[in-house]
Amino acid sequence: LVYGEGMSINSFLMAAIKAARAKSVFPTTLGLQTRDLVPVEWVIEDLLLAATEDRCRGRVVNSCTGFERTIRSVLDELARLAPGFQPIFGALPYRASELMQSVGMPLLARTQGQS
């Protein structure tokens, strides 16, 4: 899940951030699905690497951090940072095609705070 400048205002993360800023309730699923939240800057670095490194030639590469976290943990962190924001877990059902797990192996070794 790519996040950063230029992210769609209709994305899950932007909807959650908008609700957090408004200190409002946020109906959501139970939040057990996992995502690998990757900054857009890392995606750019990975694209450049994939275009120039022989080890990437002819391979499908995954731009990611390798760090899997639940949607629930993301919303809990937003609630901690924005008092008044209230995720309502279980208010929405999972979609029939819901991706429940998303994580990969990063191309570059990085730390979470690095970009």
Side-chain angles (χ1 to χ4, degrees), residues 1-29:
L1 182 67
V2 180
Y3 69 90
E5 189 68 34
M7 184 167 76
S8 170
I9 60 170
N10 298 318
S11 70
F12 161 79
L13 196 52
M14 283 304 292
I17 290 169
K18 182 178 176 183
R21 287 180 176 151
K23 300 181 185 320
S24 65
V25 298
F26 187 73
T28 187
T29 66

PDB file of all heavy atoms in Angstrom, residues 1-29:
ATOM      1  N   LEU A   1       0.857  -1.166   0.000  1.00  0.00           N
ATOM      2  CA  LEU A   1       0.000   0.000   0.000  1.00  0.00           C
ATOM      3  C   LEU A   1       0.902   1.228   0.000  1.00  0.00           C
ATOM      4  O   LEU A   1       1.582   1.495   0.975  1.00  0.00           O
ATOM      5  CB  LEU A   1      -0.913  -0.018   1.225  1.00  0.00           C
ATOM      6  CG  LEU A   1      -1.906   1.120   1.353  1.00  0.00           C
ATOM      7  CD1 LEU A   1      -2.949   1.049   0.250  1.00  0.00           C
ATOM      8  CD2 LEU A   1      -2.580   1.056   2.700  1.00  0.00           C
ATOM      9  N   VAL A   2       0.919   1.954  -1.105  1.00  0.00           N
ATOM     10  CA  VAL A   2       1.783   3.126  -1.254  1.00  0.00           C
ATOM     11  C   VAL A   2       1.097   4.343  -0.648  1.00  0.00           C
ATOM     12  O   VAL A   2      -0.088   4.572  -0.862  1.00  0.00           O
ATOM     13  CB  VAL A   2       2.082   3.388  -2.752  1.00  0.00           C
ATOM     14  CG1 VAL A   2       2.980   4.606  -2.912  1.00  0.00           C
ATOM     15  CG2 VAL A   2       2.711   2.162  -3.387  1.00  0.00           C
ATOM     16  N   TYR A   3       1.856   5.110   0.117  1.00  0.00           N
ATOM     17  CA  TYR A   3       1.311   6.344   0.677  1.00  0.00           C
ATOM     18  C   TYR A   3       2.302   7.482   0.473  1.00  0.00           C
ATOM     19  O   TYR A   3       3.497   7.255   0.299  1.00  0.00           O
ATOM     20  CB  TYR A   3       0.967   6.189   2.160  1.00  0.00           C
ATOM     21  CG  TYR A   3       2.170   6.046   3.056  1.00  0.00           C
ATOM     22  CD1 TYR A   3       2.778   7.168   3.620  1.00  0.00           C
ATOM     23  CD2 TYR A   3       2.712   4.800   3.343  1.00  0.00           C
ATOM     24  CE1 TYR A   3       3.897   7.037   4.443  1.00  0.00           C
ATOM     25  CE2 TYR A   3       3.817   4.665   4.164  1.00  0.00           C
ATOM     26  CZ  TYR A   3       4.405   5.788   4.709  1.00  0.00           C
ATOM     27  OH  TYR A   3       5.501   5.670   5.507  1.00  0.00           O
ATOM     28  N   GLY A   4       1.786   8.696   0.460  1.00  0.00           N
ATOM     29  CA  GLY A   4       2.643   9.868   0.341  1.00  0.00           C
ATOM     30  C   GLY A   4       1.989  10.954  -0.478  1.00  0.00           C
ATOM     31  O   GLY A   4       0.794  10.886  -0.806  1.00  0.00           O
ATOM     32  N   GLU A   5       2.784  11.954  -0.816  1.00  0.00           N
ATOM     33  CA  GLU A   5       2.309  13.102  -1.592  1.00  0.00           C
ATOM     34  C   GLU A   5       1.652  12.622  -2.884  1.00  0.00           C
ATOM     35  O   GLU A   5       2.186  11.770  -3.575  1.00  0.00           O
ATOM     36  CB  GLU A   5       3.490  14.020  -1.922  1.00  0.00           C
ATOM     37  CG  GLU A   5       3.101  15.342  -2.520  1.00  0.00           C
ATOM     38  CD  GLU A   5       2.368  16.246  -1.547  1.00  0.00           C
ATOM     39  OE1 GLU A   5       2.675  16.218  -0.349  1.00  0.00           O
ATOM     40  OE2 GLU A   5       1.472  16.965  -2.009  1.00  0.00           O
ATOM     41  N   GLY A   6       0.470  13.155  -3.172  1.00  0.00           N
ATOM     42  CA  GLY A   6      -0.238  12.791  -4.388  1.00  0.00           C
ATOM     43  C   GLY A   6      -1.143  11.581  -4.248  1.00  0.00           C
ATOM     44  O   GLY A   6      -1.781  11.163  -5.208  1.00  0.00           O
ATOM     45  N   MET A   7      -1.225  11.026  -3.040  1.00  0.00           N
ATOM     46  CA  MET A   7      -2.071   9.861  -2.795  1.00  0.00           C
ATOM     47  C   MET A   7      -3.535  10.223  -3.049  1.00  0.00           C
ATOM     48  O   MET A   7      -3.968  11.337  -2.756  1.00  0.00           O
ATOM     49  CB  MET A   7      -1.858   9.438  -1.333  1.00  0.00           C
ATOM     50  CG  MET A   7      -2.556   8.203  -0.904  1.00  0.00           C
ATOM     51  SD  MET A   7      -1.906   7.657   0.700  1.00  0.00           S
ATOM     52  CE  MET A   7      -2.685   8.799   1.816  1.00  0.00           C
ATOM     53  N   SER A   8      -4.286   9.293  -3.593  1.00  0.00           N
ATOM     54  CA  SER A   8      -5.693   9.530  -3.914  1.00  0.00           C
ATOM     55  C   SER A   8      -6.479   9.911  -2.657  1.00  0.00           C
ATOM     56  O   SER A   8      -6.353   9.261  -1.614  1.00  0.00           O
ATOM     57  CB  SER A   8      -6.312   8.279  -4.528  1.00  0.00           C
ATOM     58  OG  SER A   8      -7.713   8.419  -4.624  1.00  0.00           O
ATOM     59  N   ILE A   9      -7.310  10.925  -2.794  1.00  0.00           N
ATOM     60  CA  ILE A   9      -8.145  11.333  -1.663  1.00  0.00           C
ATOM     61  C   ILE A   9      -9.231  10.297  -1.377  1.00  0.00           C
ATOM     62  O   ILE A   9      -9.862  10.339  -0.333  1.00  0.00           O
ATOM     63  CB  ILE A   9      -8.777  12.724  -1.889  1.00  0.00           C
ATOM     64  CG1 ILE A   9      -9.670  12.726  -3.131  1.00  0.00           C
ATOM     65  CG2 ILE A   9      -7.721  13.799  -1.982  1.00  0.00           C
ATOM     66  CD1 ILE A   9     -10.502  13.981  -3.284  1.00  0.00           C
ATOM     67  N   ASN A  10      -9.428   9.365  -2.295  1.00  0.00           N
ATOM     68  CA  ASN A  10     -10.429   8.312  -2.111  1.00  0.00           C
ATOM     69  C   ASN A  10      -9.846   7.029  -1.527  1.00  0.00           C
ATOM     70  O   ASN A  10     -10.571   6.053  -1.365  1.00  0.00           O
ATOM     71  CB  ASN A  10     -11.114   8.002  -3.443  1.00  0.00           C
ATOM     72  CG  ASN A  10     -11.850   9.210  -3.969  1.00  0.00           C
ATOM     73  OD1 ASN A  10     -12.510   9.920  -3.232  1.00  0.00           O
ATOM     74  ND2 ASN A  10     -11.711   9.468  -5.258  1.00  0.00           N
ATOM     75  N   SER A  11      -8.562   7.024  -1.218  1.00  0.00           N
ATOM     76  CA  SER A  11      -7.941   5.820  -0.673  1.00  0.00           C
ATOM     77  C   SER A  11      -8.370   5.598   0.779  1.00  0.00           C
ATOM     78  O   SER A  11      -8.797   6.537   1.471  1.00  0.00           O
ATOM     79  CB  SER A  11      -6.414   5.926  -0.737  1.00  0.00           C
ATOM     80  OG  SER A  11      -5.944   6.896   0.189  1.00  0.00           O
ATOM     81  N   PHE A  12      -8.250   4.372   1.233  1.00  0.00           N
ATOM     82  CA  PHE A  12      -8.574   4.037   2.624  1.00  0.00           C
ATOM     83  C   PHE A  12      -7.792   4.921   3.595  1.00  0.00           C
ATOM     84  O   PHE A  12      -8.352   5.498   4.530  1.00  0.00           O
ATOM     85  CB  PHE A  12      -8.268   2.555   2.895  1.00  0.00           C
ATOM     86  CG  PHE A  12      -8.133   2.250   4.358  1.00  0.00           C
ATOM     87  CD1 PHE A  12      -9.262   2.097   5.143  1.00  0.00           C
ATOM     88  CD2 PHE A  12      -6.887   2.159   4.957  1.00  0.00           C
ATOM     89  CE1 PHE A  12      -9.158   1.851   6.499  1.00  0.00           C
ATOM     90  CE2 PHE A  12      -6.767   1.905   6.310  1.00  0.00           C
ATOM     91  CZ  PHE A  12      -7.903   1.752   7.080  1.00  0.00           C
ATOM     92  N   LEU A  13      -6.491   5.037   3.366  1.00  0.00           N
ATOM     93  CA  LEU A  13      -5.652   5.780   4.297  1.00  0.00           C
ATOM     94  C   LEU A  13      -6.036   7.260   4.352  1.00  0.00           C
ATOM     95  O   LEU A  13      -6.121   7.847   5.428  1.00  0.00           O
ATOM     96  CB  LEU A  13      -4.178   5.611   3.918  1.00  0.00           C
ATOM     97  CG  LEU A  13      -3.157   5.992   4.958  1.00  0.00           C
ATOM     98  CD1 LEU A  13      -3.430   5.318   6.302  1.00  0.00           C
ATOM     99  CD2 LEU A  13      -1.755   5.660   4.473  1.00  0.00           C
ATOM    100  N   MET A  14      -6.314   7.864   3.203  1.00  0.00           N
ATOM    101  CA  MET A  14      -6.716   9.275   3.200  1.00  0.00           C
ATOM    102  C   MET A  14      -8.076   9.463   3.857  1.00  0.00           C
ATOM    103  O   MET A  14      -8.297  10.461   4.555  1.00  0.00           O
ATOM    104  CB  MET A  14      -6.720   9.832   1.783  1.00  0.00           C
ATOM    105  CG  MET A  14      -5.317  10.154   1.264  1.00  0.00           C
ATOM    106  SD  MET A  14      -4.389  11.301   2.309  1.00  0.00           S
ATOM    107  CE  MET A  14      -5.309  12.805   2.068  1.00  0.00           C
ATOM    108  N   ALA A  15      -8.998   8.524   3.643  1.00  0.00           N
ATOM    109  CA  ALA A  15     -10.307   8.615   4.302  1.00  0.00           C
ATOM    110  C   ALA A  15     -10.149   8.554   5.815  1.00  0.00           C
ATOM    111  O   ALA A  15     -10.795   9.304   6.560  1.00  0.00           O
ATOM    112  CB  ALA A  15     -11.222   7.499   3.809  1.00  0.00           C
ATOM    113  N   ALA A  16      -9.255   7.676   6.279  1.00  0.00           N
ATOM    114  CA  ALA A  16      -9.005   7.556   7.722  1.00  0.00           C
ATOM    115  C   ALA A  16      -8.353   8.821   8.264  1.00  0.00           C
ATOM    116  O   ALA A  16      -8.725   9.321   9.334  1.00  0.00           O
ATOM    117  CB  ALA A  16      -8.141   6.333   8.000  1.00  0.00           C
ATOM    118  N   ILE A  17      -7.391   9.364   7.537  1.00  0.00           N
ATOM    119  CA  ILE A  17      -6.717  10.593   7.972  1.00  0.00           C
ATOM    120  C   ILE A  17      -7.707  11.754   8.014  1.00  0.00           C
ATOM    121  O   ILE A  17      -7.707  12.555   8.953  1.00  0.00           O
ATOM    122  CB  ILE A  17      -5.509  10.901   7.059  1.00  0.00           C
ATOM    123  CG1 ILE A  17      -4.407   9.861   7.309  1.00  0.00           C
ATOM    124  CG2 ILE A  17      -4.994  12.315   7.285  1.00  0.00           C
ATOM    125  CD1 ILE A  17      -3.281   9.894   6.292  1.00  0.00           C
ATOM    126  N   LYS A  18      -8.564  11.846   7.006  1.00  0.00           N
ATOM    127  CA  LYS A  18      -9.583  12.908   6.983  1.00  0.00           C
ATOM    128  C   LYS A  18     -10.506  12.798   8.199  1.00  0.00           C
ATOM    129  O   LYS A  18     -10.808  13.800   8.864  1.00  0.00           O
ATOM    130  CB  LYS A  18     -10.390  12.816   5.689  1.00  0.00           C
ATOM    131  CG  LYS A  18     -11.423  13.899   5.541  1.00  0.00           C
ATOM    132  CD  LYS A  18     -12.153  13.775   4.213  1.00  0.00           C
ATOM    133  CE  LYS A  18     -13.249  14.814   4.115  1.00  0.00           C
ATOM    134  NZ  LYS A  18     -14.011  14.685   2.877  1.00  0.00           N
ATOM    135  N   ALA A  19     -10.943  11.582   8.520  1.00  0.00           N
ATOM    136  CA  ALA A  19     -11.806  11.370   9.689  1.00  0.00           C
ATOM    137  C   ALA A  19     -11.050  11.688  10.984  1.00  0.00           C
ATOM    138  O   ALA A  19     -11.626  12.240  11.923  1.00  0.00           O
ATOM    139  CB  ALA A  19     -12.335   9.937   9.711  1.00  0.00           C
ATOM    140  N   ALA A  20      -9.767  11.347  11.028  1.00  0.00           N
ATOM    141  CA  ALA A  20      -8.964  11.642  12.222  1.00  0.00           C
ATOM    142  C   ALA A  20      -8.831  13.148  12.424  1.00  0.00           C
ATOM    143  O   ALA A  20      -8.957  13.641  13.545  1.00  0.00           O
ATOM    144  CB  ALA A  20      -7.595  10.984  12.100  1.00  0.00           C
ATOM    145  N   ARG A  21      -8.584  13.863  11.341  1.00  0.00           N
ATOM    146  CA  ARG A  21      -8.476  15.328  11.442  1.00  0.00           C
ATOM    147  C   ARG A  21      -9.790  15.960  11.898  1.00  0.00           C
ATOM    148  O   ARG A  21      -9.791  16.954  12.601  1.00  0.00           O
ATOM    149  CB  ARG A  21      -8.055  15.914  10.099  1.00  0.00           C
ATOM    150  CG  ARG A  21      -6.604  15.652   9.771  1.00  0.00           C
ATOM    151  CD  ARG A  21      -6.226  16.249   8.438  1.00  0.00           C
ATOM    152  NE  ARG A  21      -4.809  16.056   8.186  1.00  0.00           N
ATOM    153  CZ  ARG A  21      -4.288  15.942   6.978  1.00  0.00           C
ATOM    154  NH1 ARG A  21      -5.057  16.033   5.898  1.00  0.00           N
ATOM    155  NH2 ARG A  21      -2.994  15.758   6.834  1.00  0.00           N
ATOM    156  N   ALA A  22     -10.903  15.353  11.471  1.00  0.00           N
ATOM    157  CA  ALA A  22     -12.226  15.869  11.852  1.00  0.00           C
ATOM    158  C   ALA A  22     -12.671  15.366  13.218  1.00  0.00           C
ATOM    159  O   ALA A  22     -13.737  15.752  13.705  1.00  0.00           O
ATOM    160  CB  ALA A  22     -13.254  15.464  10.793  1.00  0.00           C
ATOM    161  N   LYS A  23     -11.860  14.489  13.823  1.00  0.00           N
ATOM    162  CA  LYS A  23     -12.183  13.897  15.131  1.00  0.00           C
ATOM    163  C   LYS A  23     -13.553  13.226  15.090  1.00  0.00           C
ATOM    164  O   LYS A  23     -14.391  13.430  15.973  1.00  0.00           O
ATOM    165  CB  LYS A  23     -12.108  14.942  16.237  1.00  0.00           C
ATOM    166  CG  LYS A  23     -10.742  15.573  16.370  1.00  0.00           C
ATOM    167  CD  LYS A  23     -10.703  16.579  17.485  1.00  0.00           C
ATOM    168  CE  LYS A  23      -9.412  17.337  17.611  1.00  0.00           C
ATOM    169  NZ  LYS A  23      -8.184  16.693  17.426  1.00  0.00           N
ATOM    170  N   SER A  24     -13.776  12.437  14.057  1.00  0.00           N
ATOM    171  CA  SER A  24     -15.085  11.807  13.874  1.00  0.00           C
ATOM    172  C   SER A  24     -14.994  10.295  13.983  1.00  0.00           C
ATOM    173  O   SER A  24     -13.911   9.726  14.108  1.00  0.00           O
ATOM    174  CB  SER A  24     -15.669  12.212  12.518  1.00  0.00           C
ATOM    175  OG  SER A  24     -14.883  11.714  11.471  1.00  0.00           O
ATOM    176  N   VAL A  25     -16.141   9.667  13.915  1.00  0.00           N
ATOM    177  CA  VAL A  25     -16.186   8.205  13.909  1.00  0.00           C
ATOM    178  C   VAL A  25     -15.799   7.717  12.515  1.00  0.00           C
ATOM    179  O   VAL A  25     -15.935   8.445  11.524  1.00  0.00           O
ATOM    180  CB  VAL A  25     -17.569   7.652  14.314  1.00  0.00           C
ATOM    181  CG1 VAL A  25     -17.906   8.063  15.728  1.00  0.00           C
ATOM    182  CG2 VAL A  25     -18.624   8.080  13.340  1.00  0.00           C
ATOM    183  N   PHE A  26     -15.307   6.476  12.449  1.00  0.00           N
ATOM    184  CA  PHE A  26     -14.856   5.900  11.187  1.00  0.00           C
ATOM    185  C   PHE A  26     -15.304   4.442  11.132  1.00  0.00           C
ATOM    186  O   PHE A  26     -14.645   3.563  11.675  1.00  0.00           O
ATOM    187  CB  PHE A  26     -13.329   6.005  11.089  1.00  0.00           C
ATOM    188  CG  PHE A  26     -12.775   5.602   9.757  1.00  0.00           C
ATOM    189  CD1 PHE A  26     -12.924   6.407   8.646  1.00  0.00           C
ATOM    190  CD2 PHE A  26     -12.090   4.400   9.622  1.00  0.00           C
ATOM    191  CE1 PHE A  26     -12.387   6.040   7.415  1.00  0.00           C
ATOM    192  CE2 PHE A  26     -11.561   4.017   8.399  1.00  0.00           C
ATOM    193  CZ  PHE A  26     -11.707   4.851   7.293  1.00  0.00           C
ATOM    194  N   PRO A  27     -16.465   4.182  10.513  1.00  0.00           N
ATOM    195  CA  PRO A  27     -16.923   2.799  10.384  1.00  0.00           C
ATOM    196  C   PRO A  27     -15.945   2.002   9.528  1.00  0.00           C
ATOM    197  O   PRO A  27     -15.507   2.475   8.470  1.00  0.00           O
ATOM    198  CB  PRO A  27     -18.277   2.914   9.684  1.00  0.00           C
ATOM    199  CG  PRO A  27     -18.627   4.358   9.684  1.00  0.00           C
ATOM    200  CD  PRO A  27     -17.364   5.130   9.881  1.00  0.00           C
ATOM    201  N   THR A  28     -15.598   0.815   9.985  1.00  0.00           N
ATOM    202  CA  THR A  28     -14.620   0.001   9.263  1.00  0.00           C
ATOM    203  C   THR A  28     -14.869  -1.482   9.537  1.00  0.00           C
ATOM    204  O   THR A  28     -15.737  -1.842  10.336  1.00  0.00           O
ATOM    205  CB  THR A  28     -13.186   0.420   9.658  1.00  0.00           C
ATOM    206  OG1 THR A  28     -12.246  -0.268   8.831  1.00  0.00           O
ATOM    207  CG2 THR A  28     -12.887   0.146  11.116  1.00  0.00           C
ATOM    208  N   THR A  29     -14.094  -2.316   8.862  1.00  0.00           N
ATOM    209  CA  THR A  29     -14.150  -3.758   9.103  1.00  0.00           C
ATOM    210  C   THR A  29     -13.514  -4.055  10.464  1.00  0.00           C
ATOM    211  O   THR A  29     -13.101  -3.130  11.171  1.00  0.00           O
ATOM    212  CB  THR A  29     -13.370  -4.513   8.015  1.00  0.00           C
ATOM    213  OG1 THR A  29     -11.981  -4.169   8.138  1.00  0.00           O
ATOM    214  CG2 THR A  29     -13.875  -4.172   6.618  1.00  0.00           C
TER     215      THR A  29
END
